[in-house]
Amino acid sequence: MGGRGPELCRAPRQQDVSVDGPGSCGPLGRMAWRPLLLLPLLSVAVSGNTAPRFNMSIVSVPEDLPVGASAFRLTAVDADGDQLYYGMSGQDAFYFKVNSTTGEVLLVASLDREEKAKLSVIITVTDQINTEVSGKLAIIVEDRNDNPPIFQNQPYITDLSETWPIGSSIYRVLATDADSGNAGRVRYEIVSVTPEDAKNHQLFYVLQNGTVVLNGSPELQPSELLLPAPDQRHGQRGLRGELHLSELRRLPVCERGGRAGPGPAVPERPYVGSVPENCPLGTPVLTVSAIDRDKGVNYALNYSLLNASVPFAIHLTTGTVTVRSALDRERLPSEEVLLEVLVQEEKLDIYGQVAQASATVTIQVTDVNDNTPQFYECELPTCDFTASPQSSFRGSLQEHSSTRVPVGGLHIVAHDPDKGSNGAFELQLQGPDAASFSVSPSRLMGTGAVQVLVKDPSTVDYERAHVMTVEIIANDTGNPGNCCSIAIVTIQLLDINDHSPRFGQSMYWLPVLENSPAGTVISSNITATDPDSADFGRITYKLLPETILDIFAVNASSGEVLVHNGSLLDRETRSVYYATLQAVDGGGMTGSTYLEITLQDANDNAPVVSGSYNVFVNEGQENISVQIQAFDNDEPGTGNSHLRFQLEPGVFSANFTIDPATGVLRSLGALDREALGRALQGKVVVTVRVHDLGVPQLSSLVNVTITVEDVNDNTPVFLNEPYVFSVREGQAGTFVGSVEAEDADQTEVHHRISFQLGSSSSSFLLRSVRLGPGHYQGNLSLDPDVALDYDRLSPAHFNLTVRAENTGTGDALNVVLTTVYVQVLDVNDEPPALVPASPQDVSVAEDAQPGLLTTLQASDLDTNHSLHFQELGLACYKGAGSAGHVCQDWFYLAPNGSVFLNSSQIDYEVCDLVTITLRVEDTRTEEGNPYSNNATLRILISDVNDNSPEFLRINDTFVVVPEVSPVDLPVAVVKARDADTGSRGAITFTISRVVFLQDNGPNYTLSSVFKVVTAAEGDLYVGSIQVASNLDGSLKGRYQVTVEAQDGGTQSLSSLAVLDIFTVDQSYRVRLVFSTSVNEVQDNSDKIKAALTVATRATVYVAVIQSAADAPQSRSSRAQEKAVMEAYFVYSNGTALGANELSILVQSNQQALSELIQLGLTIIGPGTVVEPSKEKELIGVIVGLAVGLVLLLLVMTLALLATSRSYRRKLKAMKALKMASTLTGNVAQQGPAIPGTNKYNAEGANPVLNLTLDPPADLGFDEDSDADDASLNSLDENMVENPAEGSPGPPVLQLGRAGAPAHLGSCEEPLTAALQAHRTNPTSKPARPPGDPNRTFTFSNPCLDTTDL
């Protein structure tokens, strides 16, 4: 049964009506006669859910619990497990805040056990099903050690006699602690004695009752004991008290343990004294005594202070320290003031020096209660008490706040700078509202925060006073002369919603007129009052029950009762309404009053007319009368039901009159049907108003319709006379014009009209047409078979007679006549023509200026023509083809036939013929074709020399190889066009300048190096740049050639073009050695060039093909090759290939390489550089001969010396070679050779005894002539080795000094190769003996750089 029990009785809604009498409850009241049946049901319902109950009555909360922390939790037991909701109230409830759903209680105000040790609150719990359960809860505030001990009756000052025995009681101090238990128990101890030393510390001890006991007999001097009084839990956090002991007699000052000698001396002990602040000036504090240690005569001693800024002075001769200026402990930097005392003898000693000594004096300035406590607006611990105090504070508080609720917004701190108990002061309230508040705390020592708390909530009422004022008095009871300071606290009360709205009466009677319009104010002075302020005092009004809102409304802010729907206010239906006016304030509190609204009667019934009124009379009839009957439903005998009749203003109201009392309507004369509008169809409508005499006056309208019958009493009448028409010639059956006539009779039979023509109008037809009632039209037109000719008519007009006839039934014929004048008009129907029919051609030069070219002529046979020339189209031609639209704006044809040149930009080169297609229009042509035949005007444009030759863009790179460039060789081409025609467009090329730009040298101008040959290819002219003289092949750079193109006009025009011709010098000459003969190479030159072109993609220029014997070469090449081809390999961009690049490209193309090897190619190397001139050769020969003669003598002189040494070296080499030839292959040195030398590395033997060989020297080891011819340097050329037949792999091109290929085969060490050749095996022939002339040791190694053995 966790839910609610069954609902036995429901409170009736306001709309419910109870008929069971007081105390009844719906059907249950009506069934009172069956109580025994209901009793079990009630028992079950009541026992279905039980109320919760508390299981707690007392809790404890520590006093130092911080605000906002959880204090405890309310717990209750509910047997049904329903959701429980908790609450708290009572005088001490302001300390706490309860979470209604969880029961957790939070602390919202600080606790102080010393002020209030027990709190009492009312706690509540409900399951919102049963009645709320409440109970008292006692809250015990647990003590915490939050109060330090406080010494009472300070300061402590006493005298101590040196005659007192040990164990004497000197003084008794007292300290109290507000805490309870051990936290409030105080113990005493002495922690320091001034002067501070170990001996003095043992002079006193303190009993636990606060008695200070003497424990020794010292030489007395002013002393100070520091007595802290900690409690059992604070420890050293306790307050301390100071006991000052003053000496009873002066002690002699003497030296203790000082070194004997001349001069004054101060005893080695501290000087300590005390003096209260604010004491009189000159008050003695202590005396400093010094002695003179000299023997015999002693000089007087003088005392002085080294620190003159202190508020003390010392007597010059006695050494007494006195107060020099006012003492204020609170303003001193420290309570202890240190004095530096200097003692000097009055006269100089025997050495002429001043004898002196010094001592330090400590003076304790004790506190006097001389400061008044002051108030500051700040928060601890950040207060600045050096600022000015305040005497005015402002705070706020909700009215009727609970007891001890602090005033919000106050940050008051009270401060007394005096020390210890001198800083203690009391706080109390006074002022007009002091009885309503209390101050907390009531006593402070030194500094503390001050709060103003609510004491009497009933007097804190916003409605009595919005602002309350109290005065906080801080009273320093120990300072009666300057005891108090006052802080005025202004408390702004905050309103709460504690009043409900009230009306002045419990019921109001309100009258309202029935049918009042919406918005009508029924009452404007019914208002409620609420003394609360702001939203709590802002009242809104409601009207109850809700069903009444369909008729009435209320202004929610003003309380005015208004009519909402006046159409529902009908006194005859309901005369009285009852409603409740409710006032609701901003806090939801309500008040109400009852309204009785009575409806007042109004004249709201209009008269009712009986029947309808339609009367028929003949036109012209008189004495017409009609009786109007009406009645009013309002009460008879009153003005609301008394009726009166009157005519409403209208078109025909002047023709009638009516009796206002009887309602009889009469005509004032005969009625004419034609005087009425035809649209009325003879009906006369008169409106009669019937009204009552009520206020406001109500009325009804009734129409009386009198129909006047028509009579044929009118003849036709022609309209819009006279009738004058015109008709164009040649238009048979055309419409000419219309005549119109009207008959005023309003019926068809009386106003029908027909039209007839007279006998002299055989060429015309007239047709009658009805336009409306009594309105007819006669349409006049030509006979369809008759076409009028203006030239044949004389005169060219007609006068026609037209009759209008009206034939009423049984009436005489009514006829009227009119005359119609018809004018025949001439028509412009001839087309215009050009004169002559074909315009003559017009010529114009392309440099002509704008202006008139020619004027065209045209004619028209009509006399009233207006001719205009029109341009139908314009076409542009160049030669036999169209030129597009370039000439659209060149020419202009004016409407008068003038042809103008409209532009100075006509150009023969883009258009030489313009044709204008035109025609002439007669703008006044009325019939037929208004245009002439189309014609074409030809405008011929003649050429002038106005265009310079224009070079075509040069996209090619020109290259010349001087060595293979004979005279007349074309090396470059320029092309140009001239847009002019004939001789004006013929172009001749000339070379105006040639400048050679060296790569690494100065530039210079050349002449007669190149020439140009002009040729025509249609309209394009080609200039072939040819070699004019032999070119120097040693030059490196490019030729910059300036070519001029000039046309053939009378005043010729020209243009210039600059082109570069790059040279390929002899450094790019490549030497190709073939194993075939010269003839074979010449025959295969095309194939060789084709293969080289495929491999290099370059153009091959062959410089020479010659025998190997004719070509400069090494000895090795003379032994093997037969033909040499020297060539250049040039690309189109001007770059050329050297021997290295050529070798790499040939090797990378295996197909071309194979084909070249098949054609006999063996070596690719650098070409022979040809000397530039014979003169240089001759100079070289002469210089060489001269040098040779000089060297010959030197050689002959050294020959004898070198012969013997050379001979010995050869013998050693022969021995080494002989020894090497006897070695087998596996015994021979297998280590690598050092490239470029004939030496081994450090790991091998040296067959030549580590001696270098001169590569060109012939050691005479071999008499074979081939060995003498072979090169001693295996890297001089690139060797092409063709693999043996049947051996795998492609041909290999080996590189020498000319360059290295991308990949070289392994290189064989020379001596190892020789030994391998010498080795015999079963399949080889036996080695030749050493003396065999065919036995040779020649070896070509491409890896080495010197001659190999």
Side-chain angles (χ1 to χ4, degrees):
M1 300 298 291
R4 286 190 172 189
E7 186 175 350
L8 300 181
C9 182
R10 167 178 71 85
R13 296 189 304 270
Q14 292 182 354
Q15 293 89 341
D16 296 341
V17 178
S18 175
V19 296
D20 299 316
S24 66
C25 184
L28 186 61
R30 292 191 297 270
M31 296 174 62
W33 54 276
R34 303 174 65 185
L36 294 179
L37 180 61
L38 290 178
L39 184 59
L41 295 177
L42 290 174
S43 301
V44 173
V46 171
S47 63
N49 192 284
T50 58
R53 58 184 179 83
F54 280 109
N55 56 1
M56 57 188 304
S57 60
I58 186 170
V59 294
S60 298
V61 179
E63 66 172 331
D64 60 350
L65 184 71
V67 174
S70 176
F72 54 90
R73 184 183 298 272
L74 299 180
T75 57
V77 178
D78 186 86
D80 306 305
D82 296 331
Q83 173 67 47
L84 301 182
Y85 299 91
Y86 299 91
M88 180 182 291
S89 61
Q91 183 177 2
D92 297 326
F94 73 93
Y95 284 102
F96 306 98
K97 179 181 180 182
V98 181
N99 187 315
S100 61
T101 57
T102 64
E104 184 178 16
V105 180
L106 302 180
L107 183 67
V108 296
S110 298
L111 299 175
D112 189 354
R113 188 203 65 84
E114 286 71 34
E115 186 173 337
K116 195 165 186 177
K118 181 179 179 181
L119 306 176
S120 179
V121 296
I122 302 299
I123 55 176
T124 60
V125 63
T126 178
D127 58 4
Q128 295 188 346
I129 300 174
N130 299 280
T131 304
E132 183 179 75
V133 177
S134 62
K136 288 186 177 181
L137 178 65
I139 303 173
I140 304 301
V141 181
E142 296 179 346
D143 187 27
R144 291 294 184 267
N145 193 13
D146 58 344
N147 293 280
I150 299 176
F151 279 98
Q152 306 296 324
N153 304 318
Q154 291 195 72
Y156 304 132
I157 301 175
T158 187
D159 295 329
L160 174 62
S161 174
E162 63 180 352
T163 62
W164 287 7
I166 296 174
S168 300
S169 296
I170 299 173
Y171 198 87
R172 182 174 182 179
V173 298
L174 176 64
T176 60
D177 192 315
D179 294 322
S180 62
N182 289 333
R185 185 174 297 112
V186 179
R187 61 185 179 86
Y188 302 91
E189 63 176 329
I190 298 175
V191 297
S192 66
V193 178
T194 304
E196 180 69 40
D197 57 34
K199 181 179 180 180
N200 289 341
H201 192 72
Q202 302 297 325
L203 293 179
F204 307 95
Y205 64 89
V206 61
L207 301 178
Q208 290 308 307
N209 61 0
T211 301
V212 179
V213 180
L214 181 65
N215 194 35
S217 57
E219 296 180 358
L220 289 180
Q221 56 183 336
S223 301
E224 177 183 287
L225 305 182
L226 179 61
L227 303 171
D231 57 22
Q232 294 298 321
R233 296 187 182 179
H234 265 92
Q236 292 302 321
R237 293 196 307 129
L239 296 183
R240 72 180 187 178
E242 296 179 352
L243 174 60
H244 295 271
L245 305 178
S246 301
E247 60 182 354
L248 298 180
R249 63 181 179 86
R250 171 179 293 184
L251 298 178
V253 178
C254 62
E255 180 182 356
R256 293 188 179 181
R259 181 179 60 87
V266 180
E268 295 180 357
R269 59 183 176 85
Y271 283 88
V272 179
S274 64
V275 62
E277 63 175 332
N278 302 327
C279 65
L281 299 182
T283 299
V285 180
L286 56 83
T287 299
V288 178
S289 298
I291 61 175
D292 190 348
R293 296 174 296 174
D294 293 327
K295 304 295 183 178
V297 180
N298 293 327
Y299 297 119
L301 300 179
N302 294 333
Y303 298 87
S304 63
L305 295 179
L306 295 179
N307 46 348
S309 61
V310 295
F312 296 95
I314 189 168
H315 194 272
L316 180 63
T317 58
T318 65
T320 301
V321 177
T322 59
V323 177
R324 181 174 61 87
S325 61
L327 293 178
D328 188 351
R329 186 192 66 84
E330 287 73 28
R331 295 182 179 272
L332 290 176
S334 174
E335 295 180 357
E336 294 182 352
V337 180
L338 299 179
L339 306 180
E340 294 294 332
V341 179
L342 180 64
V343 183
Q344 295 178 325
E345 288 186 353
E346 185 178 13
K347 296 181 180 182
L348 300 178
D349 60 10
I350 60 175
Y351 302 105
Q353 298 178 353
V354 177
Q356 62 184 15
S358 63
T360 300
V361 177
T362 302
I363 300 177
Q364 180 81 25
V365 180
T366 60
D367 186 39
V368 176
N369 191 359
D370 59 343
N371 289 283
T372 304
Q374 300 291 342
F375 295 97
Y376 298 86
E377 186 171 13
C378 59
E379 293 186 50
L380 295 175
T382 60
C383 293
D384 181 13
F385 297 118
T386 61
S388 300
Q390 284 187 236
S391 60
S392 178
F393 300 89
R394 301 187 66 86
S396 61
L397 178 70
Q398 283 190 351
E399 64 171 333
H400 302 306
S401 294
S402 301
T403 303
R404 296 193 59 78
V405 171
V407 176
L410 291 180
H411 303 286
I412 305 176
V413 173
H415 172 67
D416 190 330
D418 290 326
K419 185 177 180 181
S421 61
N422 292 336
F425 56 93
E426 296 179 352
L427 297 174
Q428 61 187 22
L429 292 183
Q430 68 179 22
D433 300 310
S436 302
F437 300 94
S438 63
V439 63
S440 175
S442 60
R443 179 178 176 83
L444 278 176
M445 179 173 291
T447 305
V450 179
Q451 287 184 322
V452 178
L453 308 179
V454 176
K455 181 178 180 181
D456 186 359
S458 62
T459 60
V460 182
D461 191 351
Y462 178 85
E463 285 70 35
R464 293 183 183 178
H466 296 348
V467 178
M468 302 182 76
T469 303
V470 295
E471 296 176 356
I472 304 177
I473 308 299
N475 184 10
D476 188 350
T477 56
N479 187 9
N482 190 17
C483 67
C484 305
S485 62
I486 300 176
I488 300 175
V489 180
T490 301
I491 304 171
Q492 181 70 44
L493 295 186
L494 304 178
D495 191 21
I496 63 173
N497 192 23
D498 56 342
H499 296 85
S500 60
R502 287 189 178 184
F503 289 94
Q505 299 177 203
S506 61
M507 187 171 184
Y508 293 88
W509 288 266
L510 305 177
V512 62
L513 191 64
E514 64 173 331
N515 299 321
S516 294
T520 300
V521 178
I522 301 176
S523 67
S524 59
N525 57 353
I526 301 178
T527 57
T529 58
D530 190 324
D532 294 322
S533 64
D535 290 341
F536 296 141
R538 187 175 295 111
I539 298 175
T540 57
Y541 297 89
K542 295 181 180 179
L543 201 60
L544 301 173
E546 292 184 358
T547 54
I548 202 70
L549 297 179
D550 294 336
I551 304 173
F552 300 100
V554 64
N555 188 315
S557 58
S558 66
E560 290 180 340
V561 180
L562 312 172
V563 174
H564 176 66
N565 188 353
S567 62
L568 300 179
L569 295 178
D570 188 358
R571 182 179 178 277
E572 286 71 25
T573 302
R574 182 175 178 179
S575 60
V576 179
Y577 291 89
Y578 296 95
T580 299
L581 181 61
Q582 185 182 69
V584 183
D585 63 16
M589 301 184 71
T590 63
S592 60
T593 185
Y594 294 100
L595 305 179
E596 181 180 304
I597 303 173
T598 303
L599 298 186
Q600 296 179 343
D601 190 20
N603 186 20
D604 57 348
N605 291 292
V608 179
V609 179
S610 302
S612 59
Y613 299 90
N614 294 299
V615 180
F616 294 87
V617 298
N618 288 327
E619 185 178 7
Q621 181 179 342
E622 298 183 356
N623 298 326
I624 301 172
S625 63
V626 178
Q627 175 66 52
I628 307 301
Q629 295 181 354
F631 64 93
D632 195 313
N633 289 328
D634 287 328
E635 183 179 357
T638 64
N640 293 339
S641 61
H642 196 81
L643 302 182
R644 288 290 184 269
F645 300 87
Q646 67 182 34
L647 285 176
E648 288 293 291
V651 178
F652 306 107
S653 59
N655 300 93
F656 297 90
T657 182
I658 191 171
D659 190 325
T662 62
V664 176
L665 177 68
R666 293 184 175 85
S667 64
L668 297 178
L671 300 179
D672 186 2
R673 172 71 179 259
E674 286 71 36
L676 304 177
R678 189 178 295 274
L680 297 178
Q681 298 180 353
K683 293 183 179 180
V684 176
V685 178
V686 179
T687 302
V688 176
R689 176 179 296 276
V690 182
H691 63 87
D692 59 22
L693 301 181
V695 178
Q697 190 179 79
L698 300 180
S699 63
S700 299
L701 299 177
V702 61
N703 291 333
V704 179
T705 303
I706 301 173
T707 303
V708 181
E709 301 291 341
D710 186 32
V711 176
N712 190 8
D713 55 351
N714 293 279
T715 59
V717 176
F718 279 100
L719 305 177
N720 304 321
E721 291 183 304
Y723 296 105
V724 178
F725 306 114
S726 62
V727 62
R728 296 161 60 89
E729 64 172 328
Q731 297 181 353
T734 187
F735 175 75
V736 177
S738 299
V739 296
E740 293 185 25
E742 283 187 349
D743 192 310
D745 293 327
Q746 294 187 1
T747 58
E748 179 70 22
V749 68
H750 294 147
H751 62 227
R752 184 184 300 114
I753 300 174
S754 62
F755 297 97
Q756 301 292 332
L757 284 174
S759 58
S760 61
S761 56
S762 59
S763 299
F764 297 89
L765 299 178
L766 185 61
R767 181 185 177 192
S768 299
V769 178
R770 181 178 182 273
L771 300 180
H775 186 192
Y776 287 80
Q777 182 183 70
N779 293 327
L780 182 65
S781 61
L782 287 172
D783 192 314
D785 298 329
V786 177
L788 301 179
D789 190 349
Y790 178 83
D791 300 325
R792 295 181 182 180
L793 293 176
S794 183
H797 64 269
F798 296 90
N799 288 314
L800 306 179
T801 301
V802 178
R803 299 172 57 191
E805 300 178 352
N806 171 236
T807 54
T809 303
D811 297 329
L813 181 64
N814 296 322
V815 179
V816 293
L817 302 178
T818 189
T819 301
V820 178
Y821 178 83
V822 181
Q823 176 70 44
V824 180
L825 303 177
D826 189 15
V827 176
N828 184 352
D829 53 358
E830 296 294 334
L834 284 168
V835 180
S838 297
Q840 297 180 353
D841 293 345
V842 177
S843 297
V844 61
E846 64 174 326
D847 60 349
Q849 296 301 314
L852 178 65
L853 297 181
T854 186
T855 301
L856 305 178
Q857 302 294 329
S859 64
D860 194 317
L861 298 178
D862 292 323
T863 58
N864 60 341
H865 63 266
S866 177
L867 304 183
H868 295 271
F869 285 83
Q870 294 180 344
E871 179 182 321
L872 301 180
L874 186 145
C876 310
Y877 299 93
K878 177 61 181 173
S882 172
H885 302 283
V886 296
C887 63
Q888 291 296 322
D889 300 328
W890 290 359
F891 303 98
Y892 168 66
L893 175 61
N896 64 353
S898 297
V899 180
F900 294 93
L901 174 60
N902 197 37
S903 173
S904 61
Q905 302 298 324
I906 63 175
D907 192 353
Y908 171 84
E909 283 71 35
V910 296
C911 177
D912 57 5
L913 173 63
V914 178
T915 61
I916 299 177
T917 303
L918 54 89
R919 68 182 179 184
V920 181
E921 179 189 11
D922 184 358
T923 59
R924 295 181 182 176
T925 299
E926 299 178 68
E927 291 184 2
N929 184 13
Y931 303 104
S932 67
N933 294 329
N934 294 345
T936 301
L937 173 64
R938 288 163 43 91
I939 302 176
L940 306 177
I941 301 174
S942 58
D943 187 25
V944 297
N945 188 23
D946 58 344
N947 291 280
S948 301
E950 182 178 353
F951 281 94
L952 274 65
R953 181 176 179 181
I954 301 174
N955 296 320
D956 298 329
T957 302
F958 303 116
V959 182
V960 60
V961 183
E963 186 179 354
V964 295
S965 301
V967 177
D968 297 335
L969 175 69
V971 295
V973 175
V974 294
K975 298 178 181 180
R977 282 193 175 92
D978 194 314
D980 296 323
T981 60
S983 61
R984 293 176 294 275
I987 299 175
T988 302
F989 295 100
T990 59
I991 294 178
S992 62
R993 187 185 183 194
V994 177
V995 178
F996 187 79
L997 307 177
Q998 293 192 82
D999 291 343
N1000 298 309
N1003 305 331
Y1004 51 89
T1005 303
L1006 302 176
S1007 62
S1008 302
V1009 178
F1010 298 101
K1011 61 183 179 180
V1012 60
V1013 177
T1014 305
E1017 297 177 0
D1019 62 343
L1020 178 66
Y1021 289 82
V1022 180
S1024 176
I1025 312 298
Q1026 300 178 358
V1027 178
S1029 62
N1030 292 329
L1031 302 178
D1032 189 349
S1034 63
L1035 298 178
K1036 296 183 179 181
R1038 68 182 187 275
Y1039 294 95
Q1040 190 178 74
V1041 181
T1042 303
V1043 181
E1044 181 180 12
Q1046 189 173 21
D1047 63 16
T1050 303
Q1051 295 181 351
S1052 62
L1053 303 175
S1054 64
S1055 300
L1056 296 177
V1058 178
L1059 54 91
D1060 292 333
I1061 302 176
F1062 296 89
T1063 64
V1064 180
D1065 60 89
Q1066 292 180 357
S1067 64
Y1068 292 97
R1069 187 169 181 170
V1070 180
R1071 181 168 174 262
L1072 306 174
V1073 181
F1074 292 85
S1075 61
T1076 57
S1077 63
V1078 174
N1079 293 334
E1080 290 177 329
V1081 174
Q1082 289 177 346
D1083 293 340
N1084 295 328
S1085 61
D1086 292 339
K1087 295 182 179 179
I1088 294 172
K1089 292 169 62 176
L1092 292 172
T1093 302
V1094 170
T1096 63
R1097 301 293 190 271
T1099 303
V1100 182
Y1101 296 91
V1102 179
V1104 64
I1105 300 176
Q1106 58 185 357
S1107 173
D1110 299 332
Q1113 54 189 334
S1114 65
R1115 290 179 295 170
S1116 63
S1117 65
R1118 291 197 302 269
Q1120 298 177 8
E1121 293 98 13
K1122 296 181 179 181
V1124 175
M1125 173 188 288
E1126 295 196 0
Y1128 294 89
F1129 297 85
V1130 183
Y1131 287 100
S1132 60
N1133 62 358
T1135 59
L1137 292 176
N1140 293 344
E1141 292 85 354
L1142 177 62
S1143 299
I1144 294 173
L1145 293 176
V1146 169
Q1147 286 191 100
S1148 63
N1149 193 321
Q1150 296 296 328
Q1151 181 179 357
L1153 177 61
S1154 298
E1155 185 176 355
L1156 290 172
I1157 292 175
Q1158 292 176 4
L1159 293 174
L1161 177 63
T1162 60
I1163 296 176
I1164 299 176
T1168 303
V1169 178
V1170 180
E1171 293 296 334
S1173 64
K1174 296 296 183 179
E1175 290 81 2
K1176 294 182 179 180
E1177 293 179 357
L1178 181 59
I1179 294 172
V1181 172
I1182 295 172
V1183 174
L1185 290 176
V1187 175
L1189 290 175
V1190 175
L1191 296 178
L1192 181 59
L1193 295 175
L1194 180 62
V1195 172
M1196 292 177 66
T1197 304
L1198 300 176
L1200 293 175
L1201 298 176
T1203 300
S1204 60
R1205 184 179 179 182
S1206 175
Y1207 180 75
R1208 288 193 298 268
R1209 186 168 60 250
K1210 290 182 179 181
L1211 289 178
K1212 292 179 180 180
M1214 287 297 292
K1215 291 179 180 180
L1217 182 60
K1218 183 177 180 180
M1219 180 62 66
S1221 64
T1222 62
L1223 295 177
T1224 61
N1226 55 357
V1227 179
Q1229 173 66 35
Q1230 301 299 323
I1234 298 176
T1237 70
N1238 61 344
K1239 300 178 181 180
Y1240 287 110
N1241 55 19
E1243 297 177 0
N1246 187 346
V1248 200
L1249 303 179
N1250 291 329
L1251 297 178
T1252 59
L1253 289 176
D1254 188 6
D1258 186 2
L1259 302 181
F1261 290 161
D1262 197 348
E1263 290 78 24
D1264 193 347
S1265 60
D1266 292 340
D1268 183 57
D1269 294 336
S1271 173
L1272 297 180
N1273 190 345
S1274 63
L1275 298 182
D1276 286 345
E1277 294 99 2
N1278 299 326
M1279 305 297 293
V1280 179
E1281 294 184 359
N1282 193 11
E1285 183 177 357
S1287 63
V1292 178
L1293 179 63
Q1294 298 179 353
L1295 300 184
R1297 291 183 181 178
H1303 173 73
L1304 294 175
S1306 61
C1307 299
E1308 191 172 6
E1309 192 273 323
L1311 184 59
T1312 301
L1315 295 177
Q1316 290 290 355
H1318 177 69
R1319 180 188 304 170
T1320 59
N1321 54 63
T1323 61
S1324 62
K1325 295 180 180 182
R1328 296 184 181 184
D1332 191 344
N1334 295 325
R1335 178 179 177 134
T1336 60
F1337 289 96
T1338 60
F1339 177 73
S1340 177
N1341 191 342
C1343 297
L1344 301 181
D1345 198 20
T1346 59
T1347 303
D1348 303 318
L1349 291 180

